[in-house]
Amino acid sequence: MAAVAMTTWQENMAVEAAAETRPAWADYFNDEMIDFWLGEVLWNQDMAKFTSYGVGGCAEAIIWPASVRELSLLLKGIRRLNIPWRLVGGGSNILVADEGLKGITLIFGKRFATIEVVGEKDGLVDVRVEAGCSLARLVNWCAEQGLSGLEFAAGIPGSVGGALVMNAGAWGGDISQVIRSITVMDEYGECCDKEAGQLHYGYRSWGEDAGLIAVAGVFGLQRGDKAAIKEKCRKVVAARMKQQPQEASCGSFFKNPPQGRSAGELIELAGLKGKRLGGAMVSEKHGNFLINTGSATAHDLVRLMHLVQSTVNEKFGVLLEPEVRLLGFAGGN
Ligand code: EPU
């Protein structure tokens, strides 16, 4: 098909539109970044594409660092320029505000996802995995290698980095049970290794400062029977499919309270299953899943979150704490 030439006024409008999509600091950043970043910067990106919820406004800028060194240089540079930033993983446990994300959003992607065996003794195998690797890829890789220990994680979405920080878990297993050490980076771009004994893992938490980033983890796995490992993973995925909804969500929305009934049970007993606000709905299948029926905005989901919290609190005196991280909302990052 022949290209249609743009008239001058169309060209001008296109240039203006592109300029409008960039934040005020973009030119300044472009001039300065040569000192610390030679890769791509994607401006004005729809975060719905990068989250399992499929909602949220635009990130002003996205950068994908592909190594510890690149991340370190970036953090130092971004700090020097005083631009706000945050790191997101696989996007499966975050809810991004409709207003979007200011500053720079760093994402570890497929280019920062190496899996390697770093030690083996008496059938115990240490596997180092970079944070951008998806948990699904790691679980599949382990099954193919006949390595046991991560079967509980079959079907959990998200990245290894997110799983390390959230202490992802299911079916009685969680990351803290298999982790041997984590390479962490602070907000100044400095890195160090922390042994499992130095970490303060708890329920859905690694117990470290919010500013700390997990850049890689060493998992302690055991040699096992490949067919048995695959079968266990298959069963775990089947159980998940049976009990949990498949619509767009961020998994369990709230943490389970420290004692007593689970969040899902409380929400069901409060009569909230099927409750709908805009395009957001409490799943009929599992009360702790606030799903996007297709047309939800982040605002709908947050209103539903507040409604669930206040109803459960009134009926049972329990304030449910979100497990999902809210980004771009007032008071958040
Ligand atoms: N329940 C209800 N009504 C519901 C949902 C659950 O009564 O609508 C009851 C169940 O019958 C059960 C109890 O609540 O007695 C717990 O439910 P379930 O077994 O589904 O586990 P959960 O505590 O809701 C946790 C994790 C899930 C993980 C499952 C399976 C949290 C917040 N959630 O769910 O993790 O897949 O166990 O092990 O810890 C996630 O973190 O995103 C996630 C999906």
mmCIF file of all heavy atoms in Angstrom, residues 212 236 257 285:
data_model
loop_
_atom_site.group_PDB
_atom_site.id
_atom_site.type_symbol
_atom_site.label_atom_id
_atom_site.label_comp_id
_atom_site.label_asym_id
_atom_site.label_seq_id
_atom_site.Cartn_x
_atom_site.Cartn_y
_atom_site.Cartn_z
ATOM 1 N N LEU A 212 14.486 -1.582 49.567
ATOM 2 C CA LEU A 212 15.449 -2.588 49.102
ATOM 3 C C LEU A 212 14.872 -3.386 47.928
ATOM 4 O O LEU A 212 13.698 -3.732 47.923
ATOM 5 C CB LEU A 212 15.760 -3.527 50.273
ATOM 6 C CG LEU A 212 17.209 -3.937 50.491
ATOM 7 C CD1 LEU A 212 18.155 -2.747 50.503
ATOM 8 C CD2 LEU A 212 17.323 -4.715 51.794
ATOM 9 N N VAL A 236 -1.147 -29.161 41.451
ATOM 10 C CA VAL A 236 -1.211 -27.834 42.084
ATOM 11 C C VAL A 236 -1.945 -26.846 41.169
ATOM 12 O O VAL A 236 -2.817 -26.091 41.608
ATOM 13 C CB VAL A 236 0.229 -27.346 42.414
ATOM 14 C CG1 VAL A 236 0.268 -25.867 42.683
ATOM 15 C CG2 VAL A 236 0.770 -28.111 43.611
ATOM 16 N N PRO A 257 -5.995 -12.649 57.769
ATOM 17 C CA PRO A 257 -5.722 -12.113 59.106
ATOM 18 C C PRO A 257 -4.831 -13.080 59.884
ATOM 19 O O PRO A 257 -4.853 -14.287 59.608
ATOM 20 C CB PRO A 257 -7.115 -12.023 59.744
ATOM 21 C CG PRO A 257 -8.079 -12.078 58.619
ATOM 22 C CD PRO A 257 -7.433 -12.860 57.528
ATOM 23 N N LYS A 285 -16.575 -17.042 42.849
ATOM 24 C CA LYS A 285 -15.886 -18.307 43.105
ATOM 25 C C LYS A 285 -15.057 -18.257 44.378
ATOM 26 O O LYS A 285 -15.005 -19.219 45.132
ATOM 27 C CB LYS A 285 -14.984 -18.606 41.899
ATOM 28 C CG LYS A 285 -14.510 -20.027 41.793
ATOM 29 C CD LYS A 285 -13.889 -20.219 40.417
ATOM 30 C CE LYS A 285 -13.358 -21.598 40.194
ATOM 31 N NZ LYS A 285 -12.704 -21.710 38.881
#
